[in-house]
């Protein structure tokens, strides 16, 4: 170590002169992380070794100064270069903010004029990027947000999101100080949970959850005594009351009857609270399908989730209200290699695909760790390349997949691959993928992983 310092001193003496009062240029701008040094002189992340602290601090400081000042070619692009490299790199999602605002306006148009939107941004805003989505919706005038758990709410606050943030799920009572610190509104799932929160003696905003027939979370609608008790905790400030519709996505007679019964039960709870001179707070029960199939319900808030992102849960779902919803997310990746495969030579794991004739295949830089269902290739899945369909072949791997491009001319390494969205005249939707995999578009979008870079765009 001492020898290295001496050599550096001889080669770069001018670089070791410390200039007081000079603003240091961040090493991050060159694409390298600086060597962080503790006051003891030991770099962060370097284990303490016998005799290490015999090196004086003046030894570490020149090295750090030299590291900052020696000219060099950046090893990693940074700033706009880094952003450009990442956004067009391995796999990315293009988030259309114009479509997001348009969908919010459409849903607000459908709802009664006095009703306000509570934007559901849980699960990373259904895979779209919760902080950025909430920020855009805040600029559009939305002041209520819903998340699934406390970590999501704290993330929004740290990102500067104001207004009400409702945690729809359960939060451990031991985290009551964090609820208060970040001014999050907690769902009160029942009276016993209220007692546990109240025991901390901390002022917390809450919405009371009523179980009107879904039998998941909430105080049963029949138990008015327990519901009234939820409003009587000295430190728990009730600012709302809500429930959840379990069959509002269906137009069948049984489904409609059950949904209307749920709303009737909810209305009765509100009526009884008011009769007892208790202010119920803001009322809400409708999520996306509740808005679109029961637009005139007239509660204080509505909670759009999947519809906010321009989709329904299933391809071809029929709804009562006419809404021009526009998909917000496009998912793309890259062709990483193109090769010829002779007949009877297997492709991928397990000999799961063996062509009967010579084919040309392309490997694509996305896999099931990024959110692509592994079963998709077994159910007729395809991608879009150069405006044409390319069928998935073989097993989808953790980080990549393969497609047949025999019938597509000119495919080459670096070509863009569309997994959700439009390419030329062809369009592939999350609903179509969900239908092939026997699930809903909500799952397809929300499972998109952190390795998928999100880029936010305006048309």
């Amino acid at each position: 170590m001492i020898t290295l310092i001496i050599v550096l001193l001889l080669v770069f003496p001018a670089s070791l002169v410390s200039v007081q009062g000079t603003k240091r240029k961040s090493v991050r701008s060159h694409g390298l992380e600086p060597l962080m040094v503790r006051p003891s002189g030991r770099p962060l992340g370097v284990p303490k070794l016998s005799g290490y602290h015999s090196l004086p601090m003046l030894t570490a400081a020149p090295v750090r100064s030299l590291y900052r000042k020696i000219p060099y070619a950046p090893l990693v692009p940074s700033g706009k270069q880094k952003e450009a490299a990442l956004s067009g790199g391995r796999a990315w999602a293009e988030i259309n903010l114009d479509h997001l605002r348009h969908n919010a306006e459409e849903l607000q148009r459908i709802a009664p004029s006095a009703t306000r939107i509570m934007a559901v941004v849980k699960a990373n805003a259904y895979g779209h990027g919760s902080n950025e989505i909430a920020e855009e919706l805040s600029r559009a005038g939305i002041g209520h947000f819903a998340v699934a758990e406390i970590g999501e709410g704290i993330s929004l606050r740290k990102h500067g999101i104001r207004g009400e943030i409702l945690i729809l799920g359960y939060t451990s009572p031991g985290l009551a100080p964090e609820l208060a610190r970040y001014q999050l509104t907690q769902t009160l799932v029942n009276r016993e949970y209220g007692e546990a929160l109240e025991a901390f003696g901390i002022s917390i905003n809450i919405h009371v959850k009523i179980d009107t027939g879904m039998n998941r979370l909430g105080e049963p609608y029949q138990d008015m005594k327990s519901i009234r008790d939820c409003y009587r905790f000295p430190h728990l400030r009730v600012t709302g009351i809500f429930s959840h519709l379990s069959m509002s996505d269906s137009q069948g007679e049984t489904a409609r009857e059950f949904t209307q019964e749920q709303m009737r039960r909810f209305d009765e709870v509100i009526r009884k609270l008011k009769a007892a001179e208790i202010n119920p707070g803001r009322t809400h029960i409708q999520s996306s399908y509740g808005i679109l199939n029961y637009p005139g319900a007239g509660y204080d808030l509505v909670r759009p989730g999947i519809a906010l992102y321009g989709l329904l849960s299933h391809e071809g779902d029929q709804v009562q209200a006419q809404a021009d919803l526009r998909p917000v997310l496009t998912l793309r990746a890259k062709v990483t290699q193109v090769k010829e495969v002779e007949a009877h030579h297997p492709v991928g794991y397990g000999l799961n695909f063996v062509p009967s004739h010579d084919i040309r295949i392309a490997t694509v830089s996305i896999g099931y760790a990024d959110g692509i269902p592994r079963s998709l290739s077994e159910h007729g899945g395809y991608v879009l390349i150069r405006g044409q369909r390319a069928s998935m072949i073989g097993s989808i791997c953790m980080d990549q997949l393969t497609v047949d491009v025999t019938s597509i001319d000119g495919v080459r390494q670096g070509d863009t691959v569309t997994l959700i969205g439009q390419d030329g005249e062809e369009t592939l939707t999350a609903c179509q993928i969900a239908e092939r995999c026997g699930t809903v578009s909500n799952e397809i979008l929300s499972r998109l992983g952190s390795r998928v870079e999100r880029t936010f765009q305006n048309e």
Side-chain angles (χ1 to χ4, degrees), residues 45-337:
V46 176
K48 182 178 180 181
L49 302 176
S50 176
Y52 187 92
H53 289 286
S54 64
L55 293 177
M57 183 62 183
L58 61 86
T59 301
V63 173
R64 183 171 52 183
S65 177
L66 173 64
Y67 183 82
R68 290 193 185 106
K69 297 181 179 181
I70 295 176
Y72 58 89
L75 299 180
V76 179
S78 61
K80 292 184 178 180
Q81 290 178 329
K82 182 176 181 181
E83 183 179 349
L86 286 174
S87 64
R90 178 182 171 274
W92 68 99
E94 300 165 2
I95 310 301
N96 190 316
L97 297 177
D98 287 331
H99 284 190
L100 176 70
R101 291 190 301 272
H102 168 83
N103 295 337
E105 291 169 0
E106 277 290 281
L107 293 167
Q108 185 63 72
R109 177 186 63 79
I110 291 169
S113 59
T115 299
R116 292 292 174 263
I117 287 177
M118 173 179 278
V120 180
V121 293
K122 63 182 180 178
N124 200 23
Y126 290 55
H128 291 66
S130 57
N131 291 333
E132 294 81 2
I133 292 294
E135 183 177 20
E136 185 65 26
L137 293 173
S138 291
R139 284 195 291 263
I142 290 178
H144 303 272
F145 299 91
V147 297
E149 51 87 34
I150 188 171
E152 294 176 334
I154 291 174
S155 177
L156 292 183
R157 286 291 190 232
K158 288 184 175 180
H159 196 74
I161 303 303
R162 299 182 179 182
E164 182 178 43
I165 299 176
L166 171 64
I167 300 172
L168 295 170
Y170 174 89
T171 298
S172 172
L175 293 175
E178 297 300 292
L179 292 172
R181 176 185 176 187
Y182 290 100
Q183 298 180 0
L184 302 174
T185 301
Q186 175 59 44
T187 291
L188 198 67
V189 299
N190 59 13
R191 183 188 61 190
E192 289 75 18
Y193 181 53
E195 292 171 351
L197 290 175
E198 175 64 24
F200 285 86
I202 299 173
S203 180
I204 299 171
N205 288 343
I206 63 169
H207 282 205
V208 177
K209 180 70 178 289
I210 306 298
D211 180 6
T212 57
M214 190 168 183
N215 287 311
R216 193 169 61 178
L217 293 179
E219 196 67 70
Y221 71 94
Q222 307 98 319
D223 191 351
M224 284 304 303
K225 180 182 183 304
S226 292
I227 293 172
R228 287 192 296 268
D229 288 345
C230 290
Y231 284 79
R232 291 170 177 159
F233 294 112
H235 295 95
L236 305 185
R237 178 173 175 264
V238 180
T239 58
I241 184 171
F242 73 106
S243 188
H244 192 65
L245 302 174
S246 61
M247 296 188 72
S248 60
D249 59 333
S250 175
Q251 291 292 292
E253 182 178 352
T254 299
R256 290 193 65 83
E257 288 178 355
F258 188 77
T259 299
Q260 289 166 352
E261 178 62 16
Q262 279 193 274
M263 289 193 288
R264 187 197 66 78
R265 292 168 178 172
F266 186 55
D267 291 343
E268 184 66 8
V269 168
I270 295 170
R271 186 191 66 78
K272 290 179 178 179
L273 286 172
K274 290 180 177 179
E277 298 185 348
I278 296 174
N279 178 5
R282 298 186 186 93
T283 60
H284 49 109
I285 193 173
Q286 299 156 278
S287 55
S288 292
Y289 281 92
I291 301 166
L292 296 170
N293 283 326
Y294 303 89
Y299 297 101
D300 295 319
L301 299 169
V302 289
R303 305 188 306 267
I306 192 64
L308 192 59
Y309 307 105
L311 296 171
L312 298 178
S313 294
H314 300 279
E315 187 82 359
D317 274 352
Q318 300 297 313
V319 293
Q320 291 293 314
Q322 297 299 315
D324 175 28
L325 299 179
R326 302 174 185 176
V328 174
L329 180 143
T330 296
L331 180 63
R332 303 194 198 273
K334 290 287 188 181
V335 171
T336 56
Q337 187 173 2

